[in-house]
Amino acid sequence: MGERKLCYGCMQFKPETEKVCHNCGYAEGAPYDTNYIAPGTVLNERYAVGAMLGHNSEGATYIGYNKSIGCKVLIREYMPQGLCVRVKGKATISVNPNHVVQYKALMAEFTELNKLLAQMRSLSHINPTLDLFATNNTTYAVYEYLEGIKLVDYLKDNAGELTWKQVSDMFPPFFTTLSLMHNNGVIHRAISPDTIYVTPKGELRLCGFSISTVRTAHTELPSEIFHGYAAPEQYAPSTRQGTWTDVYGICAVLYRILTGCKPTEAPSRMENDNLCEPHEMNPSIPRHVSRVIMRGMNLFGSDRIQTVTELVTQLFEQPAEPEPTPIPVEPAYRPRQQQVKRVQQPKPSYDDYDDGYDDYDDYDVEDRDNMIDRIKIPIIIGVLLTCVLLVIAIVVLSLLDMGPFSSGTTNSRPIETTTSTAETLDNIVTENPQETSDTTESLGDSTMPDLIGKDYETKKSQFEAEGWIYLEATYEYSDEHKAGLITKQSIDPGTPFTSGITMQVVVSKGPSKVKIPEYEGKTLKEYERELDALGLRDFYVTEAVTNYKYESGEVIELNVEPGEMFDLTGDDTLKIYYASNPETTTAETTTATEVTTTTTVAVTAPPETNPPQPTDPPATEPPATQAPEQDEPPMEGY
């Protein structure tokens, strides 16, 4: 066998002499988009980059090859559209100077998302992050290469739709993974038949994770929204998003699977909601399933099913209701016929016998009726007396504390009389089902993440954009954390909470003591920038002095020795002296000398009685009358 080389189209080895891969048809040296990485580039000394598979405004996805273990992977490159460009002929990314802050903030969100996915490697129904590294002025995430097809293609191979029985077999493990993913603080926002894969084993895998900015319209990056499956709040950046956003997406997927039709886009439904229930389009869908799907696709997030757990409960644990059957209603005339028949029925029996004893027969019937009345009255009276006696007995027993509810019987349960227990019992008795539901929901739909050591501004913008957590900060000095990092949080990590809460955090202002840097040879602006970077912006003042040994603007001296530790919690102020020398020229120096000489003459000579008139010829020296015309005082030190 000859030499073999890697095909950058399918990442399988082929003969050295083969120019076009027989597996995927990729041609060696085929043209590629120069805005993205050239095939064959090696990242982090481990991953060979192949052909680009797709991209959106967040970045690009490539097929790759892990040379360390010899397997195919997927490589995701952070490269936000409009904020950066590829350096020509290189893999390095150049960031637009006007968007550096935005570029870094979104990259921090991209990194945090993939860190969370890396922590969920045990979940078998998502495609977790396997590796995360930074190079080329950006960040790369590595995922497992998926073998399988998209759900949309799977449906095409199955007549365009599935039965509820098939869905019931395939989706429960997928729902469990979604619920655990939400508990870890990850909202997908793009659940659709294009982001769900079906593996050769028939298992579902969720892919296509991106930062929230890409999944929301009208934000700083062009959005990638899967219309028909995106919730209404994804079209309005100011609207809160949360677990209910993914509930809308997964219910829209169920709608598509069971009916074979893609749901109407949310903006169109907001104008005119004419979306048919699944059962109306496919009568084989159970009615309760149809109603649950519609509740999960409610246009208002607050009225929608809030969590995947609640969705599963309503889908699978609620029994299917039978089809309604008409209730037979008897005609109104039937009871009257029966009554007439019952009253008239004895008469023919007596009329058939014409034996002359009609009066006797009438008497006999009347006598029987009177006998029945005499029996009924004592029975009614007896029942009433019995009820009265029972009531009296219960009252007497309760007064004597000898009833079955007293603590002395073996079947009784002692009731504690402490105030807290009594209040609890009162609350249980008086609460209504709605209050019980609210109490259950108060346990929370999310789990609080650990924010200690995380960048405050990044987390604040990320969580508030999602409507998940609103952060309020107080700032304290910390010798353990850099400035801007969260040091404390008011809700402990792992605590359940309800989305949309406000949490207090403590943010580091940096160390409380700072080493004063050297100033020699630095201008005032340079030194101020250095002090500001150390957090000393509010702790120093400047003072200008005249000193021709230094150039104007150069720092001369401090009131603190460089190298000393400056305590930011004290009342001391750092004083910076810098040179501010008046600018002089040769002509100005000559004039100053002349003025000085004239002033000396004016002082030593007696005052003139007859000052020269304007017609007099000019004197050799400037006349003494010029001295009062000088507005500036005589300059000293020259």
Side-chain angles (χ1 to χ4, degrees):
M1 297 179 63
E3 294 291 333
R4 294 166 60 83
K5 60 182 178 181
L6 198 61
C7 169
Y8 297 130
C10 61
M11 286 301 168
Q12 296 184 13
F13 285 95
K14 64 177 182 178
E16 180 74 27
T17 57
E18 190 175 286
K19 298 299 181 183
V20 179
C21 179
H22 63 279
N23 292 318
C24 65
Y26 181 82
E28 187 176 332
Y32 67 95
D33 191 340
T34 56
N35 292 322
Y36 300 98
I37 300 179
T41 304
V42 177
L43 298 175
N44 206 30
E45 300 181 354
R46 176 183 296 182
Y47 303 103
V49 179
M52 183 182 67
L53 302 179
H55 65 88
N56 58 15
S57 59
E58 178 195 72
T61 301
Y62 308 87
I63 188 172
Y65 187 78
N66 187 337
K67 299 192 299 181
S68 299
I69 59 178
C71 68
K72 291 191 290 185
V73 294
L74 294 175
I75 302 174
R76 180 70 173 170
E77 178 185 42
Y78 171 72
M79 189 181 176
Q81 183 177 334
L83 306 185
C84 60
V85 294
R86 177 86 55 196
V87 177
K88 188 175 181 180
K90 297 183 179 179
T92 307
I93 286 179
S94 176
V95 182
N96 188 328
N98 297 327
H99 299 290
V100 172
V101 175
Q102 190 178 16
Y103 178 87
K104 290 184 177 180
L106 294 178
M107 184 164 65
E109 184 181 349
F110 176 84
T111 302
E112 185 65 22
L113 170 64
N114 283 281
K115 284 183 179 179
L116 292 174
L117 292 176
Q119 296 171 7
M120 294 186 285
R121 294 182 183 179
S122 59
L123 302 183
S124 58
H125 294 277
I126 64 171
N127 202 22
T129 304
L130 303 179
D131 196 4
L132 188 67
F133 58 91
T135 186
N136 297 331
N137 202 26
T138 187
T139 302
Y140 295 89
V142 180
Y143 309 101
E144 178 185 346
Y145 184 83
L146 275 179
E147 299 289 350
I149 60 173
K150 293 181 179 180
L151 179 59
V152 64
D153 297 322
Y154 181 82
L155 292 175
K156 293 177 183 177
D157 297 337
N158 289 271
E161 61 185 58
L162 301 178
T163 64
W164 173 241
K165 176 65 171 61
Q166 290 173 301
V167 170
S168 301
D169 294 336
M170 292 180 65
F171 274 80
F174 183 77
F175 287 139
T176 301
T177 296
L178 274 184
S179 181
L180 294 173
M181 183 184 78
H182 286 166
N183 291 340
N184 283 275
V186 177
I187 310 297
H188 192 276
R189 299 182 180 86
I191 299 177
S192 72
D194 287 293
T195 56
I196 299 176
Y197 276 73
V198 182
T199 67
K201 296 181 179 180
E203 297 177 346
L204 302 178
R205 288 282 191 94
L206 183 61
C207 309
F209 292 88
S210 282
I211 57 178
S212 59
T213 305
V214 178
R215 302 305 186 194
T216 306
H218 312 299
T219 55
E220 56 264 48
L221 294 180
S223 60
E224 184 188 38
I225 293 180
F226 293 87
H227 301 290
Y229 306 97
E233 55 265 28
Q234 293 180 249
Y235 294 88
S238 59
T239 309
R240 287 181 56 215
Q241 300 180 21
T243 56
W244 54 92
T245 304
D246 279 351
V247 168
Y248 187 101
I250 193 61
C251 285
V253 169
L254 293 177
Y255 189 103
R256 165 66 181 86
I257 293 174
L258 293 172
T259 66
C261 298
K262 179 180 176 181
T264 308
E265 297 178 8
S268 298
R269 292 185 61 201
M270 294 294 287
E271 296 178 3
N272 181 22
D273 190 7
N274 55 4
L275 184 67
C276 297
E277 283 201 16
H279 180 78
E280 296 178 6
M281 303 182 66
N282 184 356
S284 65
I285 302 172
R287 286 182 176 272
H288 83 278
V289 172
S290 179
R291 287 194 293 270
V292 171
I293 290 175
M294 295 303 290
R295 283 198 292 268
M297 296 179 66
N298 194 297
L299 293 173
F300 300 96
S302 58
D303 298 333
R304 196 181 306 152
I305 296 174
Q306 297 291 293
T307 64
V308 176
T309 302
E310 183 182 351
L311 174 65
V312 171
T313 300
Q314 296 190 29
L315 279 176
F316 295 101
E317 295 186 8
Q318 179 174 328
E321 298 179 2
E323 294 289 332
T325 55
I327 300 175
V329 178
E330 295 183 355
Y333 61 84
R334 184 172 299 176
R336 289 197 298 269
Q337 285 182 341
Q338 292 177 348
Q339 184 177 4
V340 171
K341 184 177 181 180
R342 185 169 53 248
V343 174
Q344 295 176 352
Q345 186 174 7
K347 290 183 178 181
S349 61
Y350 292 104
D351 293 339
D352 291 340
Y353 298 94
D354 188 11
D355 53 1
Y357 291 98
D358 292 341
D359 294 338
Y360 175 79
D361 293 337
D362 292 340
Y363 171 77
D364 194 25
V365 172
E366 185 176 343
D367 188 56
R368 285 198 299 270
D369 291 341
N370 292 335
M371 186 178 297
I372 293 173
D373 292 337
R374 287 196 298 271
I375 295 174
K376 285 196 298 184
I377 292 174
I379 292 174
I380 294 173
I381 295 174
V383 171
L384 292 175
L385 288 176
T386 304
C387 293
V388 171
L389 291 175
L390 285 174
V391 172
I392 294 173
I394 292 173
V395 172
V396 172
L397 290 176
S398 62
L399 292 176
L400 297 176
D401 197 21
M402 296 178 61
F405 300 102
S406 67
S407 59
T409 61
T410 58
N411 294 330
S412 64
R413 290 175 56 185
I415 300 178
E416 298 179 4
T417 57
T418 60
T419 303
S420 60
T421 305
E423 293 175 353
T424 303
L425 290 173
D426 290 339
N427 292 335
I428 294 174
V429 171
T430 58
E431 72 181 3
N432 56 39
Q434 180 63 35
E435 292 172 346
T436 306
S437 174
D438 295 341
T439 304
T440 305
E441 291 180 358
S442 66
L443 296 176
D445 56 14
S446 303
T447 303
M448 181 59 62
D450 186 0
L451 302 182
I452 306 302
K454 305 295 175 49
D455 183 76
Y456 168 70
E457 292 297 336
T458 300
K459 287 300 177 185
K460 178 180 175 65
S461 60
Q462 175 187 348
F463 291 163
E464 291 187 359
E466 299 173 352
W468 191 36
I469 306 172
Y470 295 88
L471 301 181
E472 289 185 357
T474 55
Y475 293 83
E476 295 181 357
Y477 291 106
S478 173
D479 295 330
E480 299 178 0
H481 297 86
K482 296 181 180 179
L485 301 184
I486 299 174
T487 61
K488 298 177 183 177
Q489 58 188 87
S490 59
I491 302 178
D492 294 333
T495 304
F497 72 95
T498 302
S499 299
I501 65 168
T502 299
M503 183 175 68
Q504 305 294 328
V505 296
V506 178
V507 181
S508 172
K509 295 169 63 176
S512 59
K513 294 183 179 180
V514 180
K515 184 178 181 181
I516 302 300
E518 287 288 342
Y519 64 83
E520 292 185 1
K522 298 176 182 177
T523 65
L524 178 62
K525 290 184 178 180
E526 292 174 345
Y527 199 59
E528 283 181 328
R529 284 197 295 267
E530 192 171 348
L531 294 178
D532 292 347
L534 294 174
L536 294 170
R537 179 187 295 273
D538 300 325
F539 295 91
Y540 66 82
V541 295
T542 61
E543 183 175 337
V545 296
T546 302
N547 191 327
Y548 288 98
K549 294 182 180 179
Y550 296 87
E551 295 182 2
S552 290
E554 189 174 353
V555 179
I556 297 174
E557 190 179 0
L558 307 176
N559 65 337
V560 177
E561 290 294 328
E564 290 187 6
M565 300 301 293
F566 187 84
D567 189 358
L568 302 181
T569 61
D571 298 328
D572 296 336
T573 300
L574 177 64
K575 201 166 187 179
I576 307 171
Y577 300 93
Y578 68 97
S580 180
N581 302 323
E583 296 182 1
T584 59
T585 62
T586 305
E588 291 173 348
T589 304
T590 304
T591 304
T593 305
E594 291 174 357
V595 172
T596 304
T597 305
T598 303
T599 304
T600 304
V601 172
V603 173
T604 56
E608 297 182 6
T609 56
N610 298 316
Q613 299 298 320
T615 56
D616 292 342
T620 306
E621 296 182 358
T625 56
Q626 293 181 0
E629 295 177 359
Q630 302 293 326
D631 294 332
E632 299 180 0
M635 303 182 70
E636 300 178 357
Y638 289 90

